[in-house]
Amino acid sequence: MQPIKVYNAPPGTGPNPWKAVIVLAELEIPYDFAWIPYSEIKQEPYVGINPNGRLPSMIDPNTNVTLFESGAIVQYIINRYDKNNLISYGEDNLQERWATDSWLMFQMSGQGPMFGQKMWFTHFHAEKNLTSAIERYGNETKRILGVIDSHLAKRRRELEAAPGTPVWLVGSKCTYADLSFVPWNILCLTRLFPEGGLDVEQDFPEFFHWHQSMVARPATDSTIRQREHAMATMEDTAAAVLPKRGD
C-alpha cells in the first residue's frame, strides 16, 4: 500500500491535520506529510487541491481520491480502510454507526470553531485584550466541555462503569469520533486559558479522564510526540502571516 499524503504546515501547530493522522496511526495505515508553508496555502497550486486554502488536505494514491476538510478525510479513511471496525461501527450496529458521525460533526461544528476563536482572540488578534470576544469564546469552550462531560457521565451511569474505567462517546469502545477531539483538547488543556478561570480536571472530570484515556493509547501517543517533535524542530511558518499585535 502506498502512503497516504497529508498536507500540513510547518511546524505542525494547527490541530486539524493531526485529526486525520491519529486515525491513520490507529489503523496502522502508512502516510507521509506534504509540508507547505502557511504563506502558500491561499495560492496555486495548493488551492487546486483545497479551494478553501486551509489545512489539511489528503491525496490517496491508492485510489486517486483527493479531499479537503478534516472531517471528510476522517470519514473517507474509516469507510475505505476500517473494514474490521477497529474504531468504528458497522451495519450491524446502525445506531452506534450514525451516532459516531453525530459526534464527529459536533467536533467540527462546535469544538473546532469555538476553541479556534478562543485561541485566536487570546493569542493572535491584532487588537489585544478584546475582552468581550475572549469571554464569549471562553464561555462557549466551557459549554462544549460541559456537553461532553455530561454525556460521558450519563454513559458511565448507563453502563454502571466503575470510577477509573474509560467510557466513550458511543458504544463500548474508542472510535474515530472520540479521537477527533484529541488535538483541540490538547490546546484547551495547555494554551486556551492563560488568563486562568478553568481547571479542566476539577471542573470537567469525565472530560479530563476521557482525554487521558485517549492520549494513553500507543498510536495516539506516538502521533502527539511526532507533533511535539515537529514543533520543536521546524521553522514556524505561521509567524510570517499572523497579524502584528498592538501594544
Side-chain angles (χ1 to χ4, degrees):
M1 179 178 180
Q2 298 182 66
I4 290 174
K5 182 184 292 187
V6 179
Y7 284 81
N8 201 350
T13 49
N16 285 328
W18 300 100
K19 288 165 54 179
V21 172
I22 286 173
V23 171
L24 289 167
E26 288 278 345
L27 295 175
E28 299 184 344
I29 297 171
Y31 65 89
D32 287 327
F33 279 122
W35 293 100
I36 177 172
Y38 279 104
S39 60
E40 297 179 13
I41 66 174
K42 300 292 187 186
Q43 61 192 41
E44 293 288 358
Y46 183 69
V47 293
I49 298 169
N50 184 339
N52 193 34
R54 301 288 179 129
L55 296 162
S57 298
M58 178 216 79
I59 298 175
D60 184 350
N62 304 285
T63 59
N64 294 320
V65 169
T66 298
L67 293 174
F68 62 97
E69 289 295 326
S70 58
I73 293 169
V74 168
Q75 287 181 316
Y76 168 81
I77 295 166
I78 291 297
N79 281 279
R80 181 74 186 177
Y81 294 111
D82 191 16
K83 300 301 184 183
N84 294 322
N85 299 124
L86 297 177
I87 52 173
S88 63
Y89 293 98
E91 290 290 336
D92 55 335
N93 292 288
L94 279 181
Q95 175 61 44
E96 289 82 359
R97 177 184 177 183
W98 294 107
T100 308
D101 265 356
S102 288
W103 283 103
L104 177 64
M105 297 304 111
F106 178 66
Q107 188 283 317
M108 294 172 60
S109 66
Q111 187 207 34
M114 295 303 103
F115 285 26
Q117 292 298 323
K118 177 64 169 70
M119 187 75 174
W120 177 264
F121 285 106
T122 299
H123 294 286
F124 303 121
H125 194 63
E127 180 182 349
K128 292 176 66 176
N129 302 319
L130 196 60
T131 304
S132 60
I134 292 171
E135 288 182 351
R136 167 175 167 73
Y137 292 112
N139 289 335
E140 278 299 295
T141 294
K142 293 176 183 178
R143 183 187 69 80
I144 289 163
L145 296 177
V147 169
I148 297 170
D149 191 77
S150 296
H151 176 72
L152 293 171
K154 178 182 177 182
R155 296 288 298 132
R156 184 173 299 282
R157 291 191 299 271
E158 291 172 346
L159 296 169
E160 299 181 347
T165 302
V167 293
W168 308 106
L169 293 174
V170 180
S172 59
K173 64 185 177 185
C174 181
T175 70
Y176 64 91
D178 298 279
L179 296 167
S180 71
F181 286 85
V182 168
W184 283 104
N185 284 356
I186 292 171
L187 284 183
C188 180
L189 292 166
T190 57
R191 297 192 64 196
L192 283 193
F193 288 86
E195 70 273 18
L198 177 66
D199 184 332
V200 175
E201 183 174 8
Q202 177 177 326
D203 299 340
F204 303 100
E206 289 287 358
F207 174 95
F208 180 82
H209 293 298
W210 167 68
H211 177 72
Q212 295 304 311
S213 296
M214 289 189 288
V215 299
R217 296 169 65 88
T220 300
D221 174 69
S222 176
T223 303
I224 292 168
R225 292 179 186 274
Q226 183 183 10
R227 176 177 180 266
E228 291 171 347
H229 177 74
M231 291 170 60
T233 59
M234 300 183 78
E235 177 186 359
D236 183 1
T237 65
V241 298
L242 288 170
K244 304 296 183 182
R245 303 199 74 174
D247 295 328

